[in-house]
Amino acid sequence: MQTAKPNHDEEDQLFRLLRQLDLASDASQRALAAAIGVSLGRLNALLKSATDAKLVKISNRKGADNRQRFTYSLTSRGCAEKIHLTDRFLARKFAEYDALHAELTGTTSTLVPLKHRTIMMENNLAPITELYVSYDSAEKMKFEAAQLPSWDLTARQVCDLELLMNGGFNPLKGFMSQADYEGVVDNMRMADGALWPMPITLDVPKSFAEGIEIGQDIALRDPEGVILAVMSVTDNWTPNKAHEAEKVFGADDSAHPAVNYLHNTAGDVYLGGPIIGIQQPMHYDFRARRNTPNELRAYFRKMGWRKVVAFQTRNPLHRAHQELTFRAAKEAQANLLIHPVVGLTKPGDIDHFTRVRCYEAVLDQYPASTTSMSLLNLAMRMAGPREAVWHGLIRKNHGCTHFIVGRDHAGPGSNSQGEDFYGPYDAQDLFRTHEDEMGIKMVDFKHMVYVQDRAQYEPNDEIEDRDNVTILNISGTELRRRLSEGLEIPEWFSFPAVVNELRRTRPPRAKQGFTVFFTGFSGSGKSTIANALMVKLMEMGGRPTTLLDGDLVRKNLSSELGFSKEHRDLNIRRIGYVASEITKNGGIAICAPIAPYATTRRAVREEIEQFGAFLEVHVATSIEECERRDRKGLYKLAREGKIKEFTGISDPYDVPENPELRIETESSDVDNCAHQVLLKLESMGLIGA
């Protein structure tokens, strides 16, 4: 039976329509019909179909000619469809040419069809384009760039810039333009239709942006002032951050760390434009483990690796991870690249120094001939499904052919309602949707559990006799509890070398540094209780104790600051920084500022919790009682308008929603209040019983 030959006329007409609109959107309908070789009636049918499919946008045409009332342009979806149809059109033409070539010569043409633009024409072993100039040009540009306006990059921007320059963010050629940004935010497509799920923008304060003109070059410097790149500014705009949060992260909820960063840390204005790389950021740690995409591709070429499966992690590797990666490499019949993130991860994660030591401690558990490890200086956004696609594209650029996507991949945890931001398999579903276009295959993350009866790890959903065997597992929360309390961590769960490294960095809580952070109105009793607590802790001994009282800090550390919101935030940040250093070095920091703003208190908490525990104590004395006490006469002066921006009178106070401890001072004496804090510290395991 002969199969009917498919009719591609309609598809070809749509392809020609989209291509012609992209080339000349202002052409008349008559000219448009002639260009694509159809009648006016057929053109109108094509336009209606394309408009209904949201491939084409109709706008009113300004002009005197009433016969040309409308103009048509491609949407982002239309750009993507045009690229897709281009691939199909070219594939058919190549096939037709091959058939004709074979008929005439008896051999095929050996021509290779073009791939989608987001799949590089090179294979995973060929060099990838970088944005660096030559050494001689870089030396010249350093001198010239020194005269330009300059921006000192934040830690996140340094990570982004490094991956832009070395090709990790290919096909991006710089920080996104407004058109690219809006396409990515709304539908994960840049203006030209290329797939890209994450906005990569240079956020700056409004005061800096106002001094930058379109077309101007600026020097991009690291925090030490070293010029890393020059950026030609093509776009300068104020984004709708609430919309960005909703579309990219799924909710405008500050419980999401990236949304909190977006609203409370990132600059108000975005700059976009191409960059010219002068030099890569300097890393003094684990230099032998840091590889650019081209360095990894060269290594794969040298080793003869044709298939490489990448494993993304921001946590230490335990035995379940080892079994998972073994299975993934076997399933894909590929070599294994352990590719952990050592840039910015989720606040509260174990620091990358400890994690890399853990990775190195277990590398000898893997066969050296088929496994390698490289560090990725990426600033994660914890964006779940979009992040998974982003990670896949980045690993494709690094020469990998397969990528392990985990359950709740890059999920940030719970939202403000206590529910997960993303479904457990949302990331895998979105990755699977774009897998072919990305040019990298997904390997599903299997939830591995330990079957005690067989003394081995197995995928949880493949255990058919689960009612007759003992299944063991330790969650991340349980692992942290065992570390904090110095309890046993069994060898079936983790490698002894990994546990030893974790215990070095995270000793039992009773031996860790910590911070007690009092907050409340002026006159609430914070300083008095803090002094009493300090004496009690010094009486117990064991760890050095430092009091960072609000008035003392103002006198010795922040004497030049006023009481504007900006200066108050800066003062609290300084206190937080000093407290984090004390905590990191095993001491006890007791802080007693007013700290009226919740976002600033959260930032201090995140900084300190990298190194130890944080205990927020709300001294909940009412404003009426504080004013009645008013030892210093401050409330009287504030009521008279002689003190501006006074908390509780002319300036707001954000009452802590979930402090570790809330103290009522109006019915308790100082000794009892300090004792409540001691009891809380004991219940948290921070002081010995």
Side-chain angles (χ1 to χ4, degrees), residues 248-250 256 382-385 408-413 419-424 426:
V248 177
F249 305 109
H256 193 297
M382 309 304 298
D408 192 26
H409 185 99
E419 301 173 352
D420 288 342
F421 273 95
Y422 313 114
D426 288 355

Side-chain angles (χ1 to χ4, degrees), residues 125 297-308 335:
L125 303 182
R297 286 167 172 252
Y299 176 76
F300 299 156
R301 285 197 304 273
K302 180 179 179 180
M303 297 296 291
W305 292 6
R306 295 297 180 265
K307 289 184 178 180
V308 183
N335 296 281

Side-chain angles (χ1 to χ4, degrees), residues 596-636:
Y597 308 121
T599 54
T600 313
R601 295 196 299 263
R602 172 173 173 166
V604 169
R605 174 188 288 272
E606 289 177 354
E607 183 171 12
I608 290 170
E609 285 185 336
Q610 298 178 67
F611 310 113
F614 182 89
L615 172 67
E616 184 178 34
V617 181
H618 177 212
V619 183
T621 310
S622 67
I623 191 72
E624 294 78 16
E625 176 63 17
C626 292
E627 192 165 359
R628 186 188 66 77
R629 296 174 183 176
D630 200 14
R631 234 178 8 150
K632 303 175 185 177
L634 300 177
Y635 283 92
K636 182 175 182 298

Side-chain angles (χ1 to χ4, degrees), residues 543-611:
R543 281 171 284 192
T545 305
T546 304
L547 175 63
L548 299 171
D549 179 69
D551 291 339
L552 292 174
V553 171
R554 280 276 178 181
K555 178 180 178 182
N556 296 299
L557 192 62
S558 300
S559 59
E560 84 285 7
L561 299 182
F563 291 90
S564 65
K565 183 179 187 306
E566 180 184 3
H567 280 194
R568 289 181 178 203
D569 280 347
L570 180 56
N571 183 53
I572 301 304
R573 296 264 186 171
R574 289 177 179 178
I575 291 174
Y577 171 74
V578 175
S580 72
E581 290 296 306
I582 293 169
T583 301
K584 179 171 67 175
N585 289 286
I588 301 172
I590 303 174
C591 309
I594 295 173
Y597 308 121
T599 54
T600 313
R601 295 196 299 263
R602 172 173 173 166
V604 169
R605 174 188 288 272
E606 289 177 354
E607 183 171 12
I608 290 170
E609 285 185 336
Q610 298 178 67
F611 310 113

Side-chain angles (χ1 to χ4, degrees), residues 329-561:
K330 183 178 179 181
E331 179 181 325
Q333 293 186 322
N335 296 281
L336 176 65
L337 175 68
I338 300 172
H339 208 201
V341 171
V342 295
L344 304 183
T345 59
K346 183 181 175 182
D349 281 352
I350 294 173
D351 67 275
H352 81 268
F353 300 101
T354 301
R355 289 191 286 112
V356 175
R357 291 197 300 271
C358 289
Y359 303 142
E360 291 183 329
V362 299
L363 267 183
D364 60 358
Q365 304 291 330
Y366 290 86
S369 60
T370 60
T371 304
S372 185
M373 183 178 79
S374 179
L375 309 182
L376 179 64
N377 194 43
L378 175 71
M380 291 183 66
R381 271 61 163 182
M382 309 304 298
R386 283 197 182 215
E387 185 113 359
V389 174
W390 189 41
H391 288 173
L393 290 170
I394 292 168
R395 272 32 183 252
K396 167 68 178 179
N397 288 333
H398 281 77
C400 300
T401 57
H402 295 72
F403 181 57
I404 301 172
V405 179
R407 184 180 183 276
D408 192 26
H409 185 99
S414 301
N415 59 21
S416 297
Q417 286 71 49
E419 301 173 352
D420 288 342
F421 273 95
Y422 313 114
Y425 302 106
D426 288 355
Q428 293 180 0
D429 291 342
L430 187 65
F431 195 104
R432 191 176 289 109
T433 300
H434 299 284
E435 188 176 56
D436 290 340
E437 181 179 353
M438 292 163 64
I440 184 169
K441 296 294 183 182
M442 178 176 71
V443 181
D444 292 351
F445 189 109
K446 305 293 192 302
H447 179 47
M448 307 298 295
V449 293
Y450 187 72
V451 181
Q452 187 178 39
D453 307 69
R454 292 190 280 270
Q456 66 183 18
Y457 275 90
E458 299 178 15
N460 188 46
D461 58 357
E462 295 179 11
I463 303 174
E464 296 181 356
D465 58 344
R466 61 176 53 253
D467 294 334
N468 301 317
V469 296
T470 301
I471 298 174
L472 302 177
N473 190 30
I474 293 180
S475 66
T477 301
E478 174 63 13
L479 173 62
R480 288 189 291 272
R481 186 187 74 84
R482 293 186 181 219
L483 284 171
S484 68
E485 297 180 15
L487 301 177
E488 178 194 4
I489 298 173
E491 284 199 31
W492 62 260
F493 175 77
S494 191
F495 304 97
V498 171
V499 175
N500 290 339
E501 283 295 339
L502 293 176
R503 291 201 190 281
R504 283 177 57 196
T505 306
R506 296 289 177 99
R509 273 201 155 189
K511 296 181 180 180
Q512 288 180 20
F514 63 86
T515 292
V516 180
F517 193 93
F518 290 92
T519 175
F521 291 121
S522 175
S524 61
K526 304 182 302 299
S527 297
T528 306
I529 300 169
N531 271 290
L533 176 65
M534 181 180 68
V535 171
K536 289 178 180 292
L537 289 171
M538 292 177 70
E539 180 184 10
M540 295 173 64
R543 281 171 284 192
T545 305
T546 304
L547 175 63
L548 299 171
D549 179 69
D551 291 339
L552 292 174
V553 171
R554 280 276 178 181
K555 178 180 178 182
N556 296 299
L557 192 62
S558 300
S559 59
E560 84 285 7
L561 299 182

Side-chain angles (χ1 to χ4, degrees), residues 76 178-191 196:
S76 295
Q178 184 173 359
D180 282 337
Y181 162 82
E182 290 173 352
V184 166
V185 166
D186 288 334
N187 54 33
M188 303 202 309
R189 298 278 176 187
M190 294 197 293
W196 191 266

